[in-house]
Amino acid sequence: NIAGQDPFRLQSKIRYSDGRFDDSANKKMETAWSSWGRKGNCEVTGMWSWKAITRLKARTLVVDGEYLYRKMRGPEWGPHGYQFQMIDADLLDEQLNKRLDGGGAIHMGIELDAQGRRIAYHLLKRKPMHWEHGYVREHERVPAEQIEHIFVPLFVDQVRGVPWIYAALLNLVHLGA
């Protein structure tokens, strides 16, 4: 229950140049944040509120070792012009690996330049569990600036997260040896 029943909330502290709080601006910011965080406003499917997304992200990070979401901006994306699209980590194709011209590469569905900067994410259009016999692996290439990919790295140059139980299992294997 890392995120709790009432997870992180915004407390605006805008000040005038003389140091006093701008109560009117702070109230407007907090009201807009509260409105954006309601179910149907912050996430593209309309299924989750910001509180529910926060709890989902915490669970997903522990179980899958990573979570991804796409930042959707523009007037078509809700009353505030900004929503998240939660992305199942299974859609990031770990079987897509290849070298690219100029020294870049795609590692487990993540396109990197020669310096290791993330350029794009190659997302499967359908989850593997929904594949039918003879299904072709179709991808959508999404620019990296649209994606937030969160994980706790265990080593340099790691491109994907690992489930947190992995660390415990690794310790158990070492103890067993």
Side-chain angles (χ1 to χ4, degrees):
N1 200 19
I2 295 169
Q5 181 63 26
D6 194 21
F8 315 105
R9 66 183 181 104
L10 176 71
Q11 187 172 20
S12 183
K13 294 187 177 189
I14 300 170
R15 295 179 184 262
Y16 291 111
S17 58
D18 65 6
R20 293 179 299 123
F21 283 112
D22 184 341
D23 294 331
S24 175
N26 289 328
K27 179 72 174 162
K28 286 178 185 174
M29 290 288 289
E30 291 170 7
T31 300
W33 173 261
S34 177
S35 171
W36 176 79
R38 287 192 196 106
K39 185 177 179 178
N41 287 348
C42 62
E43 186 268 332
V44 298
T45 68
M47 291 175 46
W48 296 309
S49 67
W50 177 244
K51 291 178 184 182
I53 288 173
T54 303
R55 287 189 292 274
L56 177 65
K57 290 190 314 185
R59 272 192 311 276
T60 303
L61 183 60
V62 171
V63 173
D64 293 342
E66 62 189 343
Y67 68 85
L68 297 101
Y69 61 87
R70 189 173 184 176
K71 300 174 276 189
M72 311 301 268
R73 293 185 172 101
E76 68 274 23
W77 300 109
H80 300 277
Y82 182 78
Q83 291 181 323
F84 292 123
Q85 176 188 18
M86 301 303 292
I87 300 171
D88 190 320
D90 286 346
L91 291 176
L92 192 50
D93 189 359
E94 73 272 356
Q95 294 182 27
L96 182 59
N97 298 287
K98 62 181 169 180
R99 290 188 178 149
L100 301 174
D101 294 336
I106 299 175
H107 292 292
M108 296 190 288
I110 301 173
E111 187 175 331
L112 308 166
D113 69 9
Q115 289 72 42
R117 284 186 293 259
R118 291 158 192 266
I119 303 300
Y121 287 77
H122 295 263
L123 303 173
L124 291 165
K125 291 188 177 182
R126 294 177 70 192
K127 285 183 69 165
M129 64 186 259
H130 297 297
W131 292 353
E132 298 166 5
H133 183 67
Y135 175 73
V136 177
R137 298 173 80 85
E138 294 181 279
H139 297 93
E140 176 184 7
R141 183 181 184 274
V142 179
E145 52 274 356
Q146 292 180 16
I147 299 287
E148 286 295 327
H149 182 199
I150 308 299
F151 64 94
V152 178
L154 301 175
F155 53 87
V156 176
D157 295 332
Q158 182 177 338
V159 296
R160 298 284 308 267
V162 294
W164 289 9
I165 191 70
Y166 168 80
L169 291 174
L170 191 59
N171 287 337
L172 289 174
V173 166
H174 289 224
L175 285 172

